[in-house]
Amino acid sequence: MRLENKVIVVTGASAGMGEAIVTRFVQEGAKVVAVARRKERLEALIASLKDAPGAVVACPGDMADPATSEKMVDMAVQTFGRLDVLVNCAGIMDDNTAVGDMSDEMLDRLLRVNTCGPIYAMRKAVRVFLAQGEGGNIVNVTSVGAFHQTAGVAYCASKGALASATKNTAFMYMEEGIRCNAIAPGGVVTEIPMVMPTPNEFGFGRTSTLLTHSPELGMPEDIAEAALFLASDESKFVNGTTITCDGGWTCF
Ligand SMILES: NC(=O)c1ccc[n+]([C@@H]2O[C@H](COP(=O)([O-])OP(=O)(O)OC[C@H]3O[C@@H](n4cnc5c(N)ncnc54)[C@H](O)[C@@H]3O)[C@@H](O)[C@H]2O)c1
């Protein structure tokens, strides 16, 4: 098994890619703390994995609150004895607004959940990695929107900042053996369209022109395979980079 006995925190675990990542990791023997706001969805996920080789516990919490990052990593250490990998997958979409239409609330919420949340989590994880003294591994889920204009200004800025924070963290701690990489998914079939706000007409008019280049949408399991590679020791020489998983959408 590729993650046997690795202790891993995965955020955004109640749906979409995060749920697929937890499922794949537990099948590979990982001991996982699954984090999201909806407790009942996390409990259903745990029940679905009861016969899998690894283990999984639920940690309900909002990633916009720095206390959630403290709680989830403490839970990993208290329940499983240590932390090996952090996967920051929780995220939300904006309404495709260009800056002229953007509200203060939209910018604040997107930066808080998509950028501050993962950075709070990295801070806590790095402190534990340094105390353990055996290196560590972080995988952030950004988006092709970090580098291409697939959404509004708030979403693209939030994911671009996370891509930057990924590189910075890899650079800062490479001598301590802490790796930090990101995955930039393209269009993937998840619950995100159901929870995203109604698209702004002007902004969506602009971003939808990119859809002419779009291949078939990916599935959450496609992203889970990339996350498995980055979380495992097979990627030990990969550090400070973003792997694009978009079926070729942005290679024009
Ligand atoms: N689906 C796509 O096409 C796509 C493309 C590029 C990037 N992404 C990114 O992939 C990641 C996963 O998205 P998905 O498509 O699986 O979406 P999803 O809506 O299916 O799942 C998102 C998960 O994050 C959780 N979440 C959202 N806000 C949270 C918060 N404040 N605190 C804790 N948990 C929270 C949700 O409860 C859910 O478990 C996100 O970061 C998203 O931005 C998605």
Side-chain angles (χ1 to χ4, degrees), residues 38-230:
R38 290 171 293 179
K39 191 164 180 242
E40 64 292 349
R41 292 280 297 253
L42 292 174
E43 280 164 0
L45 175 62
I46 290 170
S48 76
L49 292 169
K50 67 178 189 331
D51 298 325
V56 55
V57 294
C59 180
D62 185 341
M63 290 310 301
D65 179 356
T68 301
S69 290
E70 299 291 317
K71 186 172 78 162
M72 68 195 192
V73 173
D74 286 342
M75 186 184 270
V77 174
Q78 281 154 16
T79 312
F80 300 123
R82 56 181 291 108
L83 178 72
D84 295 298
V85 186
L86 165 69
V87 180
N88 276 313
C89 189
I92 51 173
M93 262 292 277
D94 68 1
D95 57 357
N96 277 264
T97 46
V99 72
D101 290 327
M102 188 202 72
S103 69
D104 292 353
E105 293 70 28
M106 184 65 69
L107 180 63
D108 187 63
R109 186 75 192 143
L110 267 286
L111 291 178
R112 192 143 282 288
V113 175
N114 289 0
T115 313
C116 298
I119 293 175
Y120 296 143
M122 289 202 289
R123 175 177 63 188
K124 175 67 176 178
V126 160
R127 288 174 179 170
V128 170
F129 291 151
L130 293 175
Q132 291 175 168
E134 295 169 28
N137 188 359
I138 299 170
V139 180
N140 292 320
V141 178
T142 62
S143 168
V144 290
F147 312 107
H148 298 266
Q149 311 320 314
T150 58
V153 65
Y155 184 82
C156 290
S158 73
K159 292 298 191 177
L162 182 57
S164 240
T166 300
K167 237 182 209 305
N168 182 268
T169 301
F171 174 77
M172 289 290 188
Y173 296 107
M174 69 175 93
E175 287 176 16
E176 285 72 24
I178 298 172
R179 294 193 290 128
C180 186
N181 293 292
I183 300 168
V188 179
V189 181
T190 68
E191 295 183 14
I192 220 165
M194 291 179 245
V195 292
M196 71 182 275
T198 311
N200 170 272
E201 199 176 327
F202 172 79
F204 188 66
R206 294 282 174 168
T207 61
S208 60
T209 57
L210 285 180
L211 296 175
T212 54
H213 298 280
S214 175
E216 275 191 27
L217 296 175
M219 297 306 289
E221 292 73 20
D222 298 324
I223 306 304
E225 291 300 330
L228 173 58
F229 170 66
L230 288 177

Side-chain angles (χ1 to χ4, degrees), residues 8-11 31-35 56-59 72 75-76 79-80:
I8 305 181
V9 171
V10 180
T11 75
K31 297 171 178 167
V32 175
V33 175
V35 188
V56 55
V57 294
C59 180
M72 68 195 192
M75 186 184 270
T79 312
F80 300 123

